[in-house]
Each structure stands twice: as structure tokens, then as C-alpha cells.
Amino acid sequence: RHLNFQEGCFDAAALWWHASALKALQAGNPPVANERKARLRAAAAACDRALAPPPSGGVVAAAPTPLAPALAAQAQGLKRMVEGELTQLVTDFPDTGAPAVDLLSGLDTAAAGALY
């Protein structure tokens, strides 16, 4: 349970930081804004994964151990921050049906394979 939580939070934080780094390049550049939106949406999904019970893999197991409230609050706080930025970004740069963004772009093949 805790490992799934850590993985989801790390993914969310990494995606958020990458989206934040792109913010300086976004001024008047809709493709960069689209990439930021994709990264922020993926970060919100990663927060959801962190908070969800781990998959059972088809094995019937005992009820999953609940997350400590303080840990859950951290992931929820990160998700609120991500969603706040995403809401503002969508307001500033409405969705236009742009092509999907490759979230692994910029990584070498070995790193991309290790992540997903």
C-alpha cells in the first residue's frame, strides 16, 4: 500500500515540477500550454492512484491497510495544487483538440522504459 502511495506521489510531483518548469516558456505559446495541461492532468491522475487502494492482482487478500491521515492529506494537497493550476491554465488556454502530448519526450529510451 505504502509503495503504491509513494510511486503515485513521486509521479505526480515529477509531472508537476516539469509543468512548472515549462511555465516560463508558455507565454503566447499554445503548444507549450498544451504540454503543461497534459502533464498536470497526468499529475492529478497520479495523485488519484496514490490515494487508491493497490490493485489486488486477482488475489483475494485482507482489506488493504488504510493510509495514515497525514499521508493522505499530503497527496490531497498536491492534487488541489495541481487542479488549481490546471483550472487556471485551461481558462487562459482553452482546449482546442490539439494532438496528444508524449509525456516521455525528452527522456532517453532507457529512462522512459524504466518509468513505464
Side-chain angles (χ1 to χ4, degrees), residues 9-32:
C9 285
F10 181 82
D11 285 350
L15 288 160
W16 178 81
W17 277 109
H18 196 147
S20 295
L22 291 170
K23 190 173 188 174
L25 303 173
Q26 146 190 322
N29 192 345
V32 173

Side-chain angles (χ1 to χ4, degrees), residues 36-84:
R36 282 193 68 220
K37 284 187 274 188
R39 291 187 185 283
L40 290 171
R41 286 182 177 124
C47 287
D48 289 339
R49 277 195 331 269
L51 292 166
S56 66
V59 176
V60 177
T65 305
L67 283 175
L71 290 177
Q74 289 174 356
Q76 291 162 345
L78 177 58
K79 185 172 180 185
R80 279 191 301 275
M81 183 173 64
V82 165
E83 288 178 336

